[in-house]
Amino acid sequence: MTFLKNLFIYFRYKRFNKLHFKKNNFPNSENLILIEFNRFKTFHVSVAIIANILAKKFKANMACYPEISFHKCVDGKQTLKNKLFFFLGNILKTKDFGIFYSFGVKKIFNVPVNSPYYEEALRIKKRYIKKIKTKDNLLKFKLNNILIGDLIYDSYLKYYKKETVNISHVTFSYFFQKSIEYYLFWFYYFKKNNVKAVITPQASLLSALPLRLAIYFSSKAIVADQQYLFQLNKNRIYPHKQWLDFQKDIKRKDVKKNISKGLELAKKRLMLRFAGQASVDIPYIYKSPYKKKNNLKNMVLKKNNRLKILIAPHSFVDAPHAIGNHLFADYYEWLIYILKLSKMTKYDWYIKCHPNFYNRNQDPSAQIVESLCKEYKNVKYLDQTTSHYQIISEKIDYVITCNGTIAMEYPYLGIPAINGSMVTPYNFKFNYNPKTIKELKMIILNLKKKKFKVNRKKILEIYFLRHIYYSNDWLYENMNELIQYCKEWQLVHINPAAYEFFLERSKSVYSKQKYDALKRFVNSKDYMFTFNHLGINLSDQILSQKKIY
């Protein structure tokens, strides 16, 4: 029954696309709109309208490449089953193939598993691999002045499910070779074809390499997920860096005029998060770390006069450089440094992973952290389900993170945070923000018990700018409704119910106002799509945001 229902949803969605998007036939045009081919249902909804706007703008045809192309290249083989699936999908236009063809895609092609650029890649590898003596060398690695080292680094972690890169290991040499082969394929593809725009749902890992090439060749580089819409450029090659404009935004006339209402709403949202409601302005957080389940009979912190420090680690494998580089090469290097420093102090140390870390088959981070605590016995491992309320009520003194949201949350509750990265929206005066590793060391080794003066207004200003001014509603007015409709966040991407959700709201999602706003956006050089493109004033934006929670 579910199979038949899903089949009918696919049919309805494809029919909608065929009726809504008139075929853009430009048989004599060599211009291309390049789109990542994947199974992410919400991306299909977002890319359909953007790709068609761009196709008309540039009189271009649409072509797609598979999101998993690089993994297949690393695997070094493609099974007969995969080849047949891809061939029949293109011919019969089944499932996701049919979806992409329904909104105007002309071609879905594969990246060759056996690279035609093997010899050239080998020469490049031999030339550069000797120069990559450290992880930082890798992160700064460029070809044709295009930064790709960070993409190689994160893809290595993801592919091998490793906490860090071992540049002297044979697997890295092989992976580096394959990365260059993949780079050369796309470099020559852009040289041979007139690519006017690239559209993907994310900008990390080597699957997003076409975005870097688009920026290099002065094409449009669009990142469109279900929450935000970005145009990347040479000055901002990463999405989600709108916080760089916060200092300027807070001085805008419309912000000054509406700031009291904005801060009131920001406080309400933050209080919901502290009350244990999951997903408040962070839809992928499906388990709240602020559940009020204190078990005071079983205290988790020691009862003494020592300084108490909490370490809040990050996922090691999930694209640590998605918005840029940190003080350390990766999250594992940062954590090891902190653990080594802990042995030089007389503090009580604790570490707690986020409750979202439960899928240990896909993300081994929690297991790795747990095993590290056996080596660093002075650091107590706290269960992932331990509520932050219990930790705070038992008088934690400081929290250390690299660039997590806890660096905003704990300070609001009176606990100072120490960041391990300059790449964070929370790099402000209410935190410790070392600019060097040496400075970080000096801060940690000289911590004292002291009353922390909370600047809650500044915290609320940042929350307002990040989640209300730059809201996550470019596609849907309320992301929570989509999550509830699809049952949970993980299913938003793959559940055909996401199509059904869209079809019920298609008139508002694809309204003339939205269409005109998107045209204005792609015709501009603006970094991020906001309410301003819709012609809405900030006062109305705040009113619409009030309806969400």
Side-chain angles (χ1 to χ4, degrees):
M1 198 67 188
T2 303
F3 170 77
L4 291 175
K5 181 183 177 182
N6 288 343
L7 200 65
F8 183 60
I9 293 171
Y10 271 97
F11 170 78
R12 285 180 60 213
Y13 180 59
K14 286 194 289 185
R15 184 178 64 181
F16 172 88
N17 282 342
K18 288 174 182 177
L19 291 172
H20 190 83
F21 299 111
K22 293 178 182 178
K23 287 191 176 180
N24 293 313
N25 288 315
F26 304 108
N28 299 321
S29 175
E30 294 183 354
N31 296 343
L32 279 177
I33 307 299
L34 199 58
I35 305 167
E36 181 184 294
F37 175 68
N38 56 45
R39 61 174 184 155
F40 307 147
K41 313 310 178 195
T42 48
F43 175 67
H44 301 167
V45 174
S46 64
V47 75
I49 186 169
I50 299 166
N52 273 278
I53 289 171
L54 288 168
K56 287 179 183 177
K57 173 180 171 63
F58 293 111
K59 293 183 172 56
N61 296 304
M62 302 179 219
C64 293
Y65 64 96
E67 174 251 347
I68 59 170
S69 296
F70 178 68
H71 276 203
K72 296 295 181 187
C73 291
V74 178
D75 292 342
K77 59 182 178 181
Q78 193 173 24
T79 64
L80 181 61
K81 181 182 176 182
N82 287 337
K83 288 179 181 178
L84 191 62
F85 173 79
F86 199 83
F87 174 76
L88 292 177
N90 264 304
I91 298 297
L92 303 176
K93 297 179 172 53
T94 55
K95 279 202 159 184
D96 296 324
F97 290 88
I99 297 298
F100 278 84
Y101 282 120
S102 72
F103 64 74
V105 168
K106 296 292 186 289
K107 181 183 180 182
I108 302 174
F109 64 91
N110 237 333
V111 177
V113 171
N114 298 313
S115 173
Y117 306 107
Y118 172 82
E119 294 295 336
E120 185 178 353
L122 185 62
R123 289 195 298 272
I124 293 171
K125 185 186 86 168
K126 287 179 178 178
R127 179 183 172 188
Y128 286 103
I129 201 162
K130 293 178 182 177
K131 298 179 182 179
I132 299 175
K133 296 178 181 179
T134 67
K135 296 172 188 180
D136 286 330
N137 292 154
L138 173 59
L139 285 170
K140 295 172 183 174
F141 177 66
K142 295 180 180 181
L143 282 177
N144 302 108
N145 208 31
I146 303 170
L147 179 66
I148 62 171
D150 56 336
L151 302 180
I152 296 172
Y153 200 117
D154 288 359
S155 295
Y156 181 95
L157 300 180
K158 192 81 170 178
Y159 184 82
Y160 291 110
K161 293 185 175 67
K162 292 290 185 182
E163 63 271 26
T164 192
V165 172
N166 184 349
I167 57 177
S168 61
H169 198 276
V170 64
T171 55
F172 174 72
S173 178
Y174 172 77
F175 196 86
F176 190 64
Q177 166 78 23
K178 288 296 178 181
S179 299
I180 297 170
E181 290 175 17
Y182 193 65
Y183 167 83
L184 290 174
F185 170 84
W186 284 116
F187 183 79
Y188 288 120
Y189 184 91
F190 274 77
K191 292 270 281 187
K192 294 173 185 174
N193 296 279
N194 196 15
V195 178
K196 290 295 184 179
V198 174
I199 315 171
T200 75
Q202 50 82 32
S204 56
L205 311 178
L206 279 163
S207 59
L209 187 56
L211 284 171
R212 296 280 171 93
L213 272 301
I215 294 168
Y216 177 79
F217 284 98
S218 300
S219 305
K220 290 279 184 184
I222 308 285
V223 179
D225 64 26
Q226 62 278 3
Q227 297 188 76
Y228 301 101
L229 180 62
F230 295 95
Q231 287 191 109
L232 307 185
N233 55 59
K234 289 177 182 178
N235 295 320
R236 290 192 188 176
I237 63 173
Y238 302 103
H240 305 290
K241 298 198 77 164
Q242 59 271 28
W243 49 268
L244 291 172
D245 296 322
F246 282 2
Q247 301 284 22
K248 179 181 69 176
D249 293 330
I250 202 67
K251 298 173 184 175
R252 290 171 59 99
K253 286 184 180 179
D254 59 339
V255 173
K256 286 181 177 180
K257 183 180 177 182
N258 293 279
I259 193 65
S260 59
K261 292 178 182 177
L263 297 187
E264 183 183 338
L265 183 55
K267 184 177 180 179
K268 179 187 173 184
R269 298 264 188 98
L270 198 52
M271 290 306 103
L272 287 174
R273 192 182 292 188
F274 291 147
Q277 184 171 327
S279 302
V280 178
D281 290 317
I282 318 177
Y284 55 86
I285 299 296
Y286 53 91
K287 291 180 180 178
S288 172
Y290 288 94
K291 288 284 186 182
K292 290 187 177 180
K293 289 185 178 178
N294 286 13
N295 186 357
L296 297 179
K297 290 182 180 179
N298 297 311
M299 292 184 67
V300 294
L301 305 191
K302 295 175 184 176
K303 201 169 183 180
N304 58 37
N305 292 323
R306 284 188 169 192
L307 210 62
K308 294 170 175 57
I309 316 293
L310 175 68
I311 306 170
H314 305 260
S315 169
F316 301 131
V317 303
D318 191 15
H321 308 98
I323 58 171
N325 297 341
H326 312 288
L327 292 181
F328 296 85
D330 54 47
Y331 290 142
Y332 181 77
E333 289 282 320
W334 163 80
L335 180 57
I336 291 297
Y337 185 83
I338 299 297
L339 292 174
K340 286 179 178 178
L341 275 186
S342 74
K343 287 193 168 185
M344 300 167 63
T345 72
K346 292 182 179 180
Y347 313 150
D348 283 345
W349 288 83
Y350 304 89
I351 191 166
K352 187 183 102 69
C353 296
H354 198 282
N356 263 34
F357 281 16
Y358 263 116
N359 194 337
R360 297 192 173 201
N361 291 326
Q362 292 183 9
D363 189 341
S365 300
Q367 288 170 292
I368 294 167
V369 170
E370 215 169 337
S371 65
L372 283 171
C373 288
K374 293 174 183 176
E375 180 182 349
Y376 295 89
K377 297 184 185 297
N378 62 311
V379 180
K380 182 180 178 181
Y381 181 84
L382 302 182
D383 189 273
Q384 290 169 253
T385 60
T386 305
S387 171
H388 282 304
Y389 271 111
Q390 179 167 359
I391 296 169
I392 291 168
S393 69
E394 293 180 19
K395 309 298 182 186
I396 199 75
D397 291 297
Y398 292 88
V399 65
I400 300 178
T401 179
C402 201
N403 60 339
T405 59
I406 200 169
M408 173 193 63
E409 295 156 356
Y410 261 48
Y412 193 89
L413 297 171
I415 313 298
I418 304 165
N419 286 319
S421 173
M422 296 295 289
V423 185
T424 171
Y426 315 117
N427 183 10
F428 293 96
K429 290 180 181 179
F430 56 78
N431 285 340
Y432 290 90
N433 300 293
K435 294 180 175 62
T436 64
I437 293 174
K438 183 179 179 181
E439 189 181 347
L440 175 65
K441 180 179 179 180
M442 292 299 294
I443 289 169
I444 291 174
L445 293 182
N446 292 282
L447 293 175
K448 294 176 182 177
K449 278 188 181 286
K450 62 178 181 179
K451 192 171 182 180
F452 178 59
K453 189 176 180 181
V454 182
N455 188 344
R456 288 198 172 97
K457 184 184 177 185
K458 177 58 72 175
I459 295 170
L460 291 176
E461 284 177 358
I462 295 162
Y463 194 100
F464 162 72
L465 289 169
R466 190 173 187 207
H467 297 295
I468 298 166
Y469 189 88
Y470 291 107
S471 53
N472 66 344
D473 56 357
W474 88 266
L475 189 62
Y476 295 114
E477 290 181 2
N478 190 338
M479 275 297 302
N480 298 322
E481 291 178 352
L482 173 63
I483 296 167
Q484 290 168 8
Y485 200 93
C486 295
K487 307 302 182 189
E488 57 182 285
W489 169 257
Q490 291 91 330
L491 297 178
V492 163
H493 303 291
I494 59 174
N495 191 341
Y499 294 144
E500 196 171 37
F501 180 85
F502 161 74
L503 290 169
E504 291 176 4
R505 296 157 179 80
S506 60
K507 287 185 179 179
S508 62
V509 178
Y510 282 3
S511 66
K512 186 178 186 303
Q513 182 188 26
K514 178 73 68 65
Y515 185 83
D516 291 343
L518 289 170
K519 279 177 67 176
R520 282 193 290 272
F521 178 66
V522 300
N523 286 330
S524 74
K525 293 183 179 180
D526 294 344
Y527 173 66
M528 184 180 180
F529 184 88
T530 70
F531 65 90
N532 290 308
H533 295 97
L534 290 163
I536 297 172
N537 61 47
L538 182 53
S539 179
D540 289 339
Q541 165 73 356
I542 292 171
L543 282 174
S544 69
Q545 284 289 302
K546 279 185 177 180
K547 299 173 185 176
I548 297 175
Y549 295 100

